[in-house]
Structures are given as structure tokens and as C-alpha cells.
Amino acid sequence: MCQGLSSISSCCLERAKGIKARLRILLQKSKKTCQSVRANKKDKARSRPSSEEAKKWRQSLDKMLSHKHGLAAFRTFLRSEYSEENIEFWLACEDYKKIRSTAKRTSKAKMIYLEFIETDAPKEINIDYETKDSTRNLLQRPTSSSFDEAQSKIYNLMEKDSYARFLRSEVYLNLTRQTERAASHSESNKQSET
């Protein structure tokens, strides 16, 4: 007949208890890992723009730049065309406009001028001499609008040239295809769950 646990040595019982505890820990870790993987997949799906959002970027450069994924995609495209300095300058000007402190504004204005506008600057933008000269003069007493003229010229350049090419680029077309595929994949998963 069954003699029960009393016939097993205490050493074996202790080892069995230890194995049981380790298995419980491994199972808990496995569950947490599965939950983490599911959460990461959901986060990744949320971090992509929807197909509708990506398609809205066709409406205007402003629409695209106001969306974090649109801005990131446009930057990637400009980087591939070796003209990232335009968006960097535009963004630096947007940040500059928010500065309230006169000392910080003066410092940032000088940095922007030396990095983007000065002749042979490391990231020199393509603006005419009159705009460069006007901007340099405005920086004698920097205001929040000191770069408006240069920023407007760069915005117009991006809008007429880079933005149009971006909308025809593989970067944008792949993004809209990916988001459409992700949306249809997500939709088919929802239907299979019901």
C-alpha cells in the first residue's frame, strides 16, 4: 500500500520543496515576460502613426511638422538628402521664440547665427545675402522675432522643394504602407479574437 510521504527521506523532501519553489519562480518570470512582450507590442503599435494620420500630412507641411512622427519621418528624409540643416534651423528658431530671458535669448541667438547663418557655418542654410545681413543686424538687439525672415525663407524652401519630394519618397510611401498593413493586421487580430 501507499506509505505516503513518511517513507521518503527528509533530505529528498527538502530537495523536492526547493525544486517546487524554483519552478514557481520560473513560472512567475515567464508570465511577466509574456506580459511584457505583449505590452511592448501594444506600445510599438501605438507609437506608429495611423494610416489616416500619415495621410493627413499630405494636407500641409504644418500638419506634418506638428505631428511627432511626421517630424521624425521628414527629418529622416532630409538627412538622406543631406539637407537636415533646414529642419534643424527651423526647429532652433521655434525653440528660440519661446525664450523669455534676455540673457538666454542673446546667447541662443548667437549660437543659431554661428551654426546656421554665418558664411561657412557648420550647418549653413541657403538664404540670400540680404536676409543674412538683415538677420545679423537684428541680432544687435535680439527679440523673439529676430529670425522670422530667415525662418520664413527656409520654411518656404522646405515647403516648395523638400516637402513635395518627401511626399513622393520611399520614406513616406513605406510609412503609409506600413501603417496600413499594421492597421489591417490589428483589425484581423481583433476579428479572430471575437
Side-chain angles (χ1 to χ4, degrees):
M1 288 258 178
C2 179
Q3 296 176 6
L5 294 176
S6 60
S7 66
I8 300 175
S9 73
S10 63
C11 178
C12 287
L13 282 174
E14 289 302 316
R15 288 175 77 194
K17 286 180 184 176
I19 291 171
K20 183 180 175 184
R22 283 190 216 109
L23 285 173
R24 189 177 305 126
I25 291 170
L26 285 172
L27 277 173
Q28 287 174 344
K29 283 185 178 180
S30 177
K31 284 180 183 177
K32 286 180 183 178
T33 301
C34 287
Q35 290 169 344
S36 176
V37 167
R38 281 189 214 114
N40 285 342
K41 284 183 180 179
K42 286 180 182 178
D43 288 345
K44 195 172 186 180
R46 275 189 228 120
S47 72
R48 279 192 205 119
S50 70
S51 184
E52 293 80 34
E53 287 173 320
K55 287 177 181 176
K56 284 180 186 175
W57 303 344
R58 286 190 161 281
Q59 294 173 2
S60 72
L61 179 58
D62 274 336
K63 266 273 200 247
M64 186 179 63
L65 295 178
S66 66
H67 192 279
K68 71 177 183 174
H69 296 295
L71 177 59
F74 191 54
R75 278 186 103 153
T76 300
F77 172 73
L78 290 175
R79 192 175 301 122
S80 75
E81 294 219 327
Y82 303 101
S83 60
E84 188 179 16
E85 70 279 355
N86 292 332
I87 192 68
E88 287 182 11
F89 172 72
W90 186 84
L91 289 169
C93 290
E94 289 297 295
D95 287 342
Y96 173 80
K97 291 176 184 178
K98 297 172 188 170
I99 298 172
R100 297 290 165 235
S101 162
T102 305
K104 286 181 182 178
R105 182 183 298 138
T106 302
S107 173
K108 180 79 169 175
K110 184 176 182 178
M111 192 253 348
I112 291 171
Y113 182 82
L114 293 174
E115 188 172 358
F116 297 104
I117 296 176
E118 185 177 57
T119 303
D120 296 326
K123 297 177 181 180
E124 186 177 3
I125 54 173
N126 187 12
I127 55 175
D128 58 88
Y129 174 78
E130 289 79 22
T131 305
K132 276 187 183 191
D133 194 44
S134 168
T135 303
R136 187 178 63 249
N137 290 334
L138 288 170
L139 294 180
Q140 300 302 315
R141 286 202 176 130
T143 66
S144 60
S145 61
S146 294
F147 291 103
D148 284 359
E149 183 182 4
Q151 186 184 20
S152 176
K153 296 224 177 194
I154 290 303
Y155 182 88
N156 289 334
L157 177 69
M158 289 191 301
E159 186 174 43
K160 287 180 175 65
D161 186 39
S162 305
Y163 174 62
R165 283 195 322 276
F166 169 76
L167 294 175
R168 295 187 305 267
S169 74
E170 285 300 311
V171 170
Y172 178 71
L173 296 175
N174 286 339
L175 182 64
T176 56
R177 284 185 213 128
Q178 283 176 353
T179 55
E180 285 174 354
R181 271 185 258 148
S184 66
H185 180 69
S186 174
E187 191 61 36
S188 66
N189 284 346
K190 286 179 185 175
Q191 289 175 354
S192 66
E193 289 175 0
T194 57

